Amino acid sequence: MSESLIDAADAVRAKAYAPYSNFQVGAAIRSVEGNVHLGCNVENVAYPEGTCAEAGAIAAMIASGDTKIAEIAVIAQASAPVPPCGGCRQKIAEFASGDVVVTMATTSGETLSMTVAELLPGRFDAGHMDASEART
């Protein structure tokens, strides 16, 4: 994990819209093409309608034309590195192989790295949707 990816995630974290929780999160994705895509959390007064930083970075990646994650960094001002929520773990798994490293960081410099497979064991993927495999 390059420090520059954590730095990019931290820079976008400062732009997060989090007036209700004051919990700003930033995410930076490096695509397999080498491009960096950023996202920050965007809250809404109707809490379930907000957007996570990881989802925003994935949307930016897709909008640019890239489709595969090579590495990802997520940062928040917290006492320990904060992992992506369950929904974002599934979103990340849609665009990353199981061995892709997800680095979670705090603004004070603590980091924790895990692979996508470690974050989401038994992930649901397109292979589960094959009708011939679904028969018992």
Side-chain angles (χ1 to χ4, degrees), residues 66-115:
D66 292 349
T67 60
K68 294 287 182 194
I69 297 171
E71 60 181 327
I72 183 169
V74 181
I75 189 167
Q77 185 174 356
S79 59
V82 178
C85 72
C88 283
R89 292 176 195 210
Q90 184 63 47
K91 289 175 180 76
I92 292 166
E94 181 77 13
F95 301 101
S97 63
D99 62 349
V100 166
V101 175
V102 179
T103 299
M104 298 150 279
T106 67
T107 55
S108 62
E110 187 177 348
T111 62
L112 173 65
S113 295
M114 299 176 75
T115 65

Side-chain angles (χ1 to χ4, degrees), residues 2 12-14 22 30-31 38 40 42 49 65-66 71-72 74 76 86 88 91 126 131:
S2 67
V12 75
R13 180 195 65 81
N22 293 313
R30 185 176 323 283
S31 66
L38 306 175
C40 60
V42 178
E49 299 306 315
D66 292 349
E71 60 181 327
I72 183 169
V74 181
C88 283
K91 289 175 180 76

Side-chain angles (χ1 to χ4, degrees), residues 23-44:
F23 190 72
Q24 297 176 305
V25 181
I29 290 172
R30 185 176 323 283
S31 66
V32 296
E33 293 83 4
N35 301 313
V36 174
H37 308 282
L38 306 175
C40 60
N41 59 316
V42 178
E43 292 181 348
N44 187 288

